[in-house]
């Protein structure tokens, strides 16, 4: 299947046409800068039209500063109980009203069957609605709207450990995701903070067995480095 991947998490906006057979192959890519006063649907049209209409599915990635990531440890694993207490716990951790945002929790075991680790991605609801409206205007129906860190799962090496950190670094931002058995359990998008300190903080909360770094200028000891 061919997938159109659209990333509007930072400028320039980028689009990629990917053949998702194993291994995935990049077929085409394009990038644009949004023009002053231009609405999002027009920008998306300029971004996607050069890649054609032959794709089977599309995904759209939104990013910082519209995305917030939380990690919550719970001393129980009952999903019904988790769903009851989670909204209040999320609200207590946020400096704004949760009603204005969309929260997507992912629950995994925290080493034992009697506790849980909950990763919660929180994104600006208005931003998501604006993106959906712009997609509909150009007859685009993405199956997923997610933060850029969600795409890091596709970079997990086949021979990786069960608990792995994926780091993708370019000149502007660094996306970091921790995956346990392929499930995203912690993530950050870093632009100005020292990357080594952010990685150390994440590992302290969610230990990993290895770090895979995609890009140049790796400054983490013992990381596996891959070209980007």
């Amino acid at each position: 299947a061919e997938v159109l991947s659209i990333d509007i998490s930072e400028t320039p906006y980028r689009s990629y046409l990917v053949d998702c057979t194993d291994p995935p192959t990049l077929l085409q890519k394009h990038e644009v800068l949004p023009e002053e006063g231009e609405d999002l649907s027009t920008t998306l049209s300029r971004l996607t039209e050069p890649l054609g209409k032959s794709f089977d599915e599309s995904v759209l990635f939104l990013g910082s500063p519209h995305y917030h990531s939380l990690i919550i440890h719970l001393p129980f694993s009952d999903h019904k109980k988790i769903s009851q207490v989670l909204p209040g716990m999320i609200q207590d951790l946020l400096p704004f009203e949760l009603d204005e945002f969309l929260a997507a929790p992912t629950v995994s075991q925290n080493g034992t069957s009697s506790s849980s680790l909950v990763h919660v991605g929180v994104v600006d609801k208005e931003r998501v609605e604006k993106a959906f409206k712009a997609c509909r205007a150009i007859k685009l129906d993405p199956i997923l709207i997610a933060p850029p860190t969600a795409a890091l799962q596709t970079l997990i090496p086949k021979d990786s450990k069960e608990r792995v950190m994926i780091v993708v670094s370019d000149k502007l931002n660094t996306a970091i995701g921790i995956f346990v058995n392929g499930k995203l359990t912690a993530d950050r998008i870093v632009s100005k903070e020292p990357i080594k300190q952010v990685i150390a903080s994440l590992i302290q909360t969610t230990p990993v067995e290895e770090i895979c770094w995609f890009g140049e200028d790796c400054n983490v000891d013992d990381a596996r480095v891959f070209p980007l």
Side-chain angles (χ1 to χ4, degrees):
E2 292 186 5
V3 174
L4 176 65
S5 174
I6 305 162
D7 185 352
I8 59 171
S9 61
E10 62 185 23
T11 55
Y13 294 167
R14 297 179 174 90
S15 58
Y16 307 88
L17 185 62
V18 180
D19 182 343
C20 290
T21 53
D22 192 15
T25 304
L26 176 63
L27 302 176
Q28 296 183 65
K29 63 180 179 178
H30 186 58
E31 64 179 46
V32 300
L33 284 168
E35 298 178 356
E36 186 176 352
E38 183 178 55
D39 60 43
L40 182 57
S41 60
T42 302
T43 309
L44 287 177
S45 182
R46 290 197 295 114
L47 180 63
T48 59
E49 280 184 356
L51 273 59
K53 301 289 185 180
S54 65
F55 55 87
D56 300 290
E57 304 286 358
S58 62
V59 295
L60 178 68
F61 294 102
L62 304 173
S64 181
H66 309 281
Y67 177 70
H68 305 268
S69 177
L70 306 174
I71 303 172
I72 299 175
H73 295 268
L74 297 174
F76 46 82
S77 59
D78 181 77
H79 280 251
K80 185 176 181 180
K81 191 173 181 180
I82 290 173
S83 64
Q84 290 173 340
V85 304
L86 202 55
M89 297 187 71
I90 295 172
Q91 181 62 83
D92 289 343
L93 294 170
L94 296 175
F96 43 76
E97 291 299 319
L98 186 57
D99 290 346
E100 300 173 5
F101 285 74
L102 297 173
T106 301
V107 182
S108 58
Q109 297 304 122
N110 190 23
T112 70
S113 59
S114 60
S115 64
S116 299
L117 180 68
V118 185
H119 169 262
V120 185
V122 183
V123 65
D124 184 341
K125 186 183 295 185
E126 183 179 350
R127 172 73 167 168
V128 173
E129 291 173 348
K130 181 181 178 181
F132 264 125
K133 184 178 179 180
C135 288
R136 287 195 298 267
I138 62 170
K139 295 181 170 53
L140 195 64
D141 185 21
I143 59 171
L144 173 69
I145 291 185
T149 48
L152 298 180
Q153 184 180 20
T154 62
L155 298 176
I156 299 176
K158 291 184 177 180
D159 61 346
S160 72
K161 306 291 186 181
E162 289 185 356
R163 307 177 67 92
V164 58
M165 173 180 283
I166 303 295
V167 182
V168 175
S169 182
D170 60 26
K171 295 178 181 179
L172 297 175
N173 292 309
T174 299
I176 305 170
I178 293 179
F179 296 85
V180 178
N181 293 321
K183 185 178 291 187
L184 181 66
T185 59
D187 63 343
R188 287 285 299 276
I189 299 172
V190 183
S191 56
K192 297 179 181 178
E193 302 146 283
I195 295 175
K196 289 188 72 173
Q197 291 183 20
V198 173
I199 288 176
S201 176
L202 284 170
I203 290 176
Q204 188 174 15
T205 305
T206 312
V208 299
E209 297 171 281
E210 68 175 340
I211 299 174
C212 297
W213 183 290
F214 291 81
E216 301 176 355
D217 303 323
C218 175
N219 57 2
V220 178
D221 296 335
D222 300 323
R224 296 173 64 184
V225 180
F226 300 84
L228 186 60

